[in-house]
Amino acid sequence: MGFLFDMLEKAEGSICQATNLLKVLSNHPEAARLALLEEDAPGASLTTMLQGLNRFLLDRMTQDYKSIAPHSDAFGQLLATPATTAIRCMNCRSEHTRPGTTFVNELIYPLPKSVGRSVRAPKVSFSQVLKSSIERETTSRGWCSRCQRYQSLATRRTIHNVPPVLILNAAIMSPEAKQLWGTPGWLPDEIGVIIEQGQFFCYEGEDLKLHLQRGMHNITVYSLIGVAADVDSGQHQKSHLVSVVNGMFGPYSPSILC
């Protein structure tokens, strides 16, 4: 990765070949198991492969950095979102918690709601999607050790702090999600995040400006610096990946990548 980025920097916009990185990936057992290369998963969705590669690279780079003396976790701290997940049985109400850290957060979109013909569906903002995705309140079937049977379990994440670099997998899998991302201006250039008493608050646009003017809370402002996308023409042609990178950011500015 270091060699590749060194080439990209020296090329100053010219084409670079990632042959060495691809050779490493093709010989890496975990990369093969995850089917991160087209040769290992012919016909697979490039979106799914790209997001899998994102998770794999962040995890490997963090582990590799820790393995080098003096075995610092500084790299992981730049990317990690530390949280505690509370799991509660809906039957007996028993609850237990477990700590967890993620280097990439996957977006979860609200389910479409049926509304009357004369009623316009409420607009969903990027900040609302991000908040529900980070806190991630879900209900699923799982084993309850107290009930000694499978029950409905409710889970909710409590966020302790946010990293300097926030990386997201857009996970656009539904027509509703595609419609949101296809709306001009839906993805903001900046968002503001406040962590208060374990709760995650996210603001954009005029709401963000208002919070910055008031200065009442410790708010972290993220600037959008990069997006990687799978471009699909929908005309029975093979899709292809592109990246859009905004280089106008400071070395210590909080950043967000999708």
Side-chain angles (χ1 to χ4, degrees):
M1 288 288 291
F3 180 64
L4 175 61
F5 279 103
D6 182 61
M7 286 198 306
L8 290 170
E9 184 175 1
K10 291 176 179 176
E12 297 182 343
S14 299
I15 295 174
C16 288
Q17 299 293 333
T19 308
N20 288 316
L21 179 62
L22 292 175
K23 285 183 178 179
V24 172
L25 284 175
S26 63
N27 287 283
H28 197 288
E30 187 177 352
R33 181 175 58 82
L34 295 173
L36 299 180
L37 298 175
E38 289 184 278
E39 62 192 44
D40 297 325
S45 164
L46 289 183
T47 298
T48 302
M49 295 175 66
L50 176 63
Q51 294 178 150
L53 178 65
N54 190 23
R55 285 188 289 265
F56 170 79
L57 289 178
L58 295 175
D59 182 66
R60 288 306 314 169
M61 287 190 294
T62 303
Q63 292 184 39
D64 288 351
Y65 191 85
K66 288 179 67 175
S67 68
I68 301 171
H71 309 292
S72 169
D73 192 31
F75 188 88
Q77 292 174 359
L78 289 174
L79 307 171
T81 303
T84 299
T85 300
I87 305 172
R88 186 179 74 254
C89 175
M90 302 296 287
N91 180 60
C92 68
R93 300 296 176 180
S94 63
E95 182 175 305
H96 68 277
T97 60
R98 65 184 182 200
T101 297
T102 181
F103 300 119
V104 55
N105 293 278
E106 189 164 296
L107 296 184
I108 301 175
Y109 302 91
L111 296 174
K113 297 180 180 179
S114 58
V115 294
R117 293 183 179 180
S118 60
V119 180
R120 183 176 296 180
K123 182 181 178 182
V124 179
S125 70
F126 177 84
S127 296
Q128 290 173 319
V129 171
L130 182 60
K131 174 180 170 61
S132 61
S133 303
I134 295 289
E135 293 183 326
R136 197 176 289 266
E137 296 187 36
T138 60
T139 302
S140 60
R141 297 285 292 180
W143 180 261
C144 175
S145 56
R146 187 171 180 177
C147 296
Q148 287 295 300
R149 65 177 61 185
Y150 285 95
Q151 300 284 11
S152 293
L153 304 179
T155 63
R156 184 182 186 279
R157 296 173 71 205
T158 299
I159 308 301
H160 303 303
N161 54 63
V162 289
V165 180
L166 186 62
I167 301 181
L168 309 174
N169 273 348
I172 307 171
M173 302 298 180
S174 66
E176 292 77 18
K178 290 182 179 179
Q179 185 176 9
L180 288 175
W181 282 87
T183 303
W186 185 76
L187 179 64
D189 293 329
E190 288 186 333
I191 59 170
V193 173
I194 297 173
I195 303 295
E196 193 169 278
Q197 297 181 348
Q199 288 188 289
F200 181 97
F201 300 95
C202 188
Y203 304 95
E204 63 182 82
E206 294 300 320
D207 290 336
L208 174 58
K209 291 180 182 178
L210 184 60
H211 274 281
L212 292 175
Q213 289 172 359
R214 289 178 175 176
M216 296 175 60
H217 302 277
N218 183 18
I219 185 168
T220 301
V221 179
Y222 288 95
S223 298
L224 178 66
I225 64 167
V227 175
D230 180 10
V231 179
D232 188 353
S233 65
Q235 299 175 353
H236 305 291
Q237 296 180 357
K238 186 177 180 180
S239 63
H240 60 281
L241 300 175
V242 299
S243 61
V244 182
V245 181
N246 177 14
M248 302 300 291
F249 59 93
Y252 301 107
S253 302
S255 311
I256 180 171
L257 298 93
C258 295

